[in-house]
C-alpha cells in the first residue's frame, strides 16, 4: 500500500516541477527504498534551484562583461565630440533636420554606453525609447506613428535599462 502512495507522491512532485514549482520538499514517511528515493528527489530539487541560481548569476556576469567589452572598444567621448561637431556644422548650414538626426543619435549612444546604472526608472527608459523611435521615424520617412503612455504611478518604478527597446525594434521589423 505504501508503495503506491510513495509513487503517487513522487509523480505529484514531478508534476509540480514540470509546472515550474521548485519551492517545496516532499515528506519522507518511511525508512525504506522509497524513503531514500524521496530523499534523493528532495536533494535533486535543491540542486536544480542552485543550478538555476548559478545560471542566472552567470547570465548577469556575461551581460556585464559584454557591455564592458563593447564600451572598451569605443571611446565614447570621442564619438560625442564628433557628433557635437557634426551637429553644429549642420546648424550653421541651416540643415536642422540632419542636425536633429545627429543629436538624436548622440543621445541614443550616450544612453546605451552609460553603464553606471543597470536599472533606470521607467520614465528614463521611455525618454530613451522616444529618442530611438524618433530616429526610426526619420529612417522610415515619417511612416512610423507611435504613442507612449505610461501611468504616473509607474514612471518612477525601476526596470533593467534597455529592456523595452528590443521589443519595440522587433515590432517595427
Amino acid at each position: 500500500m505504501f508503495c503506491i502512495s510513495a509513487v503517487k507522491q513522487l509523480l505529484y512532485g514531478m508534476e509540480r516541477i514540470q509546472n515550474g514549482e521548485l519551492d517545496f520538499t516532499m515528506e519522507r514517511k518511511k525508512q525504506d527504498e522509497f524513503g531514500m528515493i524521496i530523499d534523493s528527489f528532495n536533494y535533486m530539487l535543491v540542486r536544480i534551484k542552485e543550478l538555476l541560481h548559478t545560471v542566472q548569476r552567470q547570465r548577469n556576469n556575461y551581460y556585464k562583461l559584454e557591455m564592458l567589452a563593447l564600451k572598451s572598444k569605443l571611446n565614447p567621448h570621442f564619438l560625442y565630440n564628433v557628433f557635437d561637431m557634426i551637429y553644429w556644422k549642420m546648424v550653421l548650414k541651416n540643415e536642422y533636420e540632419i542636425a536633429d538626426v545627429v543629436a538624436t543619435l548622440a543621445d541614443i549612444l550616450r544612453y546605451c554606453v552609460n553603464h553606471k546604472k543597470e536599472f533606470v526608472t521607467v520614465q528614463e527608459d521611455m525618454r530613451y525609447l522616444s529618442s530611438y523611435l524618433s530616429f526610426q521615424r526619420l529612417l522610415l520617412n515619417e511612416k512610423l506613428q507611435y504613442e507612449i503612455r505610461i501611468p504616473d504611478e509607474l514612471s518612477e518604478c525601476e526596470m533593467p535599462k534597455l529592456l523595452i527597446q528590443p521589443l519595440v525594434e522587433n515590432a517595427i521589423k
Side-chain angles (χ1 to χ4, degrees):
M1 172 115 172
F2 175 73
C3 174
I4 293 172
S5 104
V7 171
K8 284 183 179 180
Q9 185 182 6
L10 283 168
L11 289 172
Y12 177 70
M14 287 183 226
E15 186 178 319
R16 289 179 71 181
I17 290 173
Q18 286 175 345
N19 291 328
E21 288 181 63
L22 299 177
D23 292 326
F24 71 94
T25 54
M26 293 179 33
E27 181 183 342
R28 180 179 183 169
K29 295 179 181 169
K30 292 219 175 176
Q31 300 294 328
D32 61 4
E33 292 85 2
F34 284 106
M36 293 181 348
I37 290 172
I38 287 174
D39 284 346
S40 294
F41 183 91
N42 287 333
Y43 176 74
M44 178 185 69
L45 195 53
V46 168
R47 289 292 296 142
I48 288 171
K49 287 189 277 190
E50 289 171 355
L51 290 170
L52 287 172
H53 180 72
T54 299
V55 167
Q56 184 60 42
R57 198 173 56 243
Q58 287 175 342
R59 258 193 218 141
N60 291 342
N61 288 340
Y62 176 79
Y63 173 75
K64 287 177 189 175
L65 290 173
E66 192 175 57
M67 290 300 153
L68 285 174
L70 178 61
K71 191 174 180 180
S72 70
K73 289 180 182 179
L74 299 173
N75 181 344
H77 298 293
F78 168 74
L79 292 174
Y80 300 152
N81 291 339
V82 168
F83 282 131
D84 195 45
M85 178 202 57
I86 294 169
Y87 172 82
W88 286 110
K89 283 190 177 217
M90 293 295 103
V91 167
L92 291 173
K93 292 181 179 184
N94 295 324
E95 295 284 347
Y96 298 109
E97 187 177 355
I98 297 171
D100 287 343
V101 170
V102 170
T104 301
L105 189 56
D107 286 343
I108 290 170
L109 179 67
R110 240 181 232 104
Y111 184 78
C112 291
V113 173
N114 178 8
H115 295 294
K116 293 177 184 165
K117 297 191 291 183
E118 288 181 42
F119 286 82
V120 296
T121 64
V122 171
Q123 184 178 16
E124 286 175 280
D125 210 53
M126 291 306 111
R127 250 193 318 267
Y128 157 73
L129 186 62
S130 183
S131 293
Y132 171 79
L133 286 168
S134 296
F135 190 70
Q136 283 292 338
R137 190 161 191 246
L138 290 167
L139 287 174
L140 298 170
N141 297 319
E142 308 290 322
K143 291 179 184 173
L144 177 67
Q145 294 180 356
Y146 61 91
E147 182 179 344
I148 299 175
R149 285 186 279 168
I150 305 297
D152 291 338
E153 63 270 12
L154 296 180
S155 67
E156 293 303 315
C157 292
E158 291 205 339
M159 62 183 278
K161 184 177 177 180
L162 300 170
L163 178 70
I164 304 295
Q165 184 270 330
L167 300 172
V168 171
E169 184 175 355
N170 286 340
I172 292 169
K173 287 181 180 177

